[in-house]
Amino acid sequence: MECPACGETSPEGATWCEACGHDLNAEPLPECQACGEREVTDEGYCGICGHKQPEERDHMEFGEDALIAVTNKGKRHRHNEDSVAVGHAFDEAGNVTAAALVVCDGVSSTPGSAEASEAATKAALNVLLSGLSDPVFLANRTNRTQSESGDGSKSDLDVLIESATVAAQNVAAAAPEVESNHPGSSGGPPSSTFVAVVSEPDANGANITVGWLGDSRAYWLGDEALLLTSDHEVEGSLTRWIGADSPNPTPDLASHRFEGLGYLVVCTDGLWRYASAAQELKELVQRLVDQGAAGTTLGSQLIDFANDNGGHDNITAAVWTNHPQPPSVIESRIDLDQHATPEEPTAVGVELAGDDLPEEKSDPE
Amino acid sequence: MTGFKAEVFQNEYLPAGVDTIDAVVTVKAEDAEVGVSAQRDAVEIIAIDTSGSMQEEGGAKMHAAKAATQAAIDTISDGVYFAIIGGNAGAYMVYPRDGLAVSSPSTRDEAKRMVSRVRANGGTAIGTWLKAAAFLANQYPHAIAHCLLLTDGKNEHDEPGALAAAIRDCTGLLQCDTRGLGADWDINELRTISSALLGTVDIIPRPEDMEAEFRRLTEQAMGKQVGSVALRLWTPKGSVSQFVKQVAPNLEDLTGSAKPVNPLTNDYPLGSWSGDEERDYHIRVSIPTGNVGDERLAARVMLVIDDAEQPAALVRAIWTDDERLSTRINREVAHYTGQAELASVIAEGLAARDAGDQATATVKLGRAVQIAHQAGNGDTVRLLQKVVDVDDPATGTVRLKRQVNKTDEMALDVRSTRTVRVGKTK
């Protein structure tokens, strides 16, 4: 066998190169994304051209077909501090009852926010999917039209989103503070925006419930195009967020009934700053769909759109739709459905565990 | 085993199109283990000028040189190999008769006795003295070898090229601190020697200052615990290392001393270190530019001790269109850029003064006063005040003094490369 370091030939089965002492069983170093040399070091830089190798968090895509999520570092920021988690909830028969989407924009001026936002999205999605799949909860939900008649009282779903927010706040507040001498760092504990959305589709449309803190947004883009959230922000500063120094981690809540087909887009300001008005975002999504985008392709094209406009911030979008998916995509969904079981919901980016659901949520009124 | 800690200070953000990055690397030896120096052989050689000029001033210089050498001998630790060389137009052994002696109370007494018998006469051939030191050090090539060389005159009696050849013989073999007594020696000559041999150069203005200085230098040499340290610098393919300079405790351009390790890596010899030493380095690298948003490793700085690499410090380059980031001035880089300017304006100011160009000398030395005042180089300010009258240090308004002591001018010149560290004010 040939030594990858010096090229000398050693007997088959040799452990060390006899010429240079290179460990012949050693894993080859990863290939540099910029120059292709296999010299990438533990520090994440190419040992030949010096290029920093992309971090896993720089660009991530989750899900497929009707429920996807994408997140990207953008062009200006050194790290991606956004996080996103999406998943389906199932009833006991294994039918999809709801989709849950959680997006967090970790504040880049407080170091350690990527860890906080990631933990928060996972914790919140965990609470949402466990709650949404709970038989008692599902039984109560069948009577929801009465409980959500607009009398101002909280629905079971409002309470569930609030407890998901509590879970997100708890893990974000526990994220360790990181020291940094970076010029963009203001110091302070890790912090993040938070938006959690549950969509419950039926034959005629969808019921959508949103809870949020900060300036990450949810949009419904159907016959009507509507912004479902209102930013907690004054003169460029967040007024609500999650994290150890949050003055008020109570989410605002909103519920909507939409008839017909549409796209639910949950995103950070890295995307919406370039298409802030709901109608504008709707036209963008429509244009991309008309060009054949679907599933994660739609997601990555939304990222491209933001980067083409400057990529000033981290970019994250979670998309759910009740539009029928193109044939090529439906095929993969059938495949997915065969593998998805009620015990293993299609949650992406999270480890699901039903046993750490907060006590009061498992037995809703 | 002594460990090294390296820390990088830089602004890693570059505007689009800029390809040059500066960084200050602070290197600190720590975790010094007691007894390391006992395990490692050490060689101490003292080469003293015994030329005829040392007998001037009623023999005061020779008398002081003997006393200083005897004080230095008392400072040599037991077990250290040592020798005393006498220098004139040739070099001769003062002690021992040949080779090196092992330091003990009796050999030190014997050496001091032999020193007291030295007579001053003859010329000055510094290259020959160094050649003798190299010959002696070569008997223990793996030891930490140090030479203290004293002269009161210029190198007048060497064959042409002999000094350069002797320096080459000594390079990598021994470190050499050079000292000039009085005002009749050549700063550039001694600076060339000490720069190449990783030592220091200074003036000893008066014979009575010699004893303390010799004792201090020998004590310092005895404290060296790590022999051959090198700064190993990796830079990416297509890059150019513009310079590698030691910037503290004194300025020393190491760029020319690079020894290639592989096409992307060079070693810069740093000589021996004591267990608690701290030095700063300023490196400037040009690398192929990246796009806005790209990050590249511009340099990896490692310390190498006996071929073992110590953990690295990383110099990064990140291209940004955010001017708030790319225009930030790094405090350490700015400080040492100022210290380098200070050294060069002093040299230029003194050269202009020698050439009779009073206007240039006033501007340059005024600027020197201003930098030294702002950066907290109190010693340098005091040296400058012996050459100029300072009207306003903040603006660098000065007048050249009419009468300047030659040794004061030389002290300013030779000490112009001494720096202060960041944050050390007044």
Side-chain angles (χ1 to χ4, degrees), chain A residues 37 41 43 45-53 73 75-79 181-184 312, chain B residues 12-13 234-237 264 292-297 300 312 314 316 318 320-322 325 328:
Chain A
E37 295 280 355
T41 64
E43 299 136 349
Y45 295 96
C46 174
I48 301 296
C49 74
H51 261 280
K52 180 165 172 57
Q53 304 302 302
K73 184 164 71 96
K75 285 185 163 177
R76 295 290 192 88
H77 283 219
R78 201 172 163 197
H79 302 291
N181 55 7
H182 189 271
H312 292 80
Chain B
E12 61 265 51
Y13 290 95
W234 173 94
T235 56
K237 195 174 177 181
L264 303 179
V292 167
D294 279 357
E295 175 172 347
R296 196 182 285 217
L297 190 63
R300 177 187 284 111
L314 305 182
R316 299 177 169 88
I318 305 169
T320 180
D321 55 6
D322 186 342
L325 296 177
R328 274 189 351 128

Side-chain angles (χ1 to χ4, degrees), chain B residues 17 33 83 94 140 149 160 182 223 298 348 364 367 372 376-377 414:
Chain B
E33 211 172 85
V94 174
Y140 299 94
L149 186 145
E348 288 159 17
K364 297 286 183 184
R367 173 72 182 138
N377 297 68
V414 75

Side-chain angles (χ1 to χ4, degrees), chain B residues 146-169:
Chain B
H146 175 253
C147 176
L148 165 52
L149 186 145
L150 175 85
T151 183
D152 77 334
K154 297 183 176 67
N155 189 35
E156 288 169 334
H157 300 96
D158 264 334
E159 298 284 323
L163 180 56
I167 290 172
R168 277 197 300 278
D169 286 352

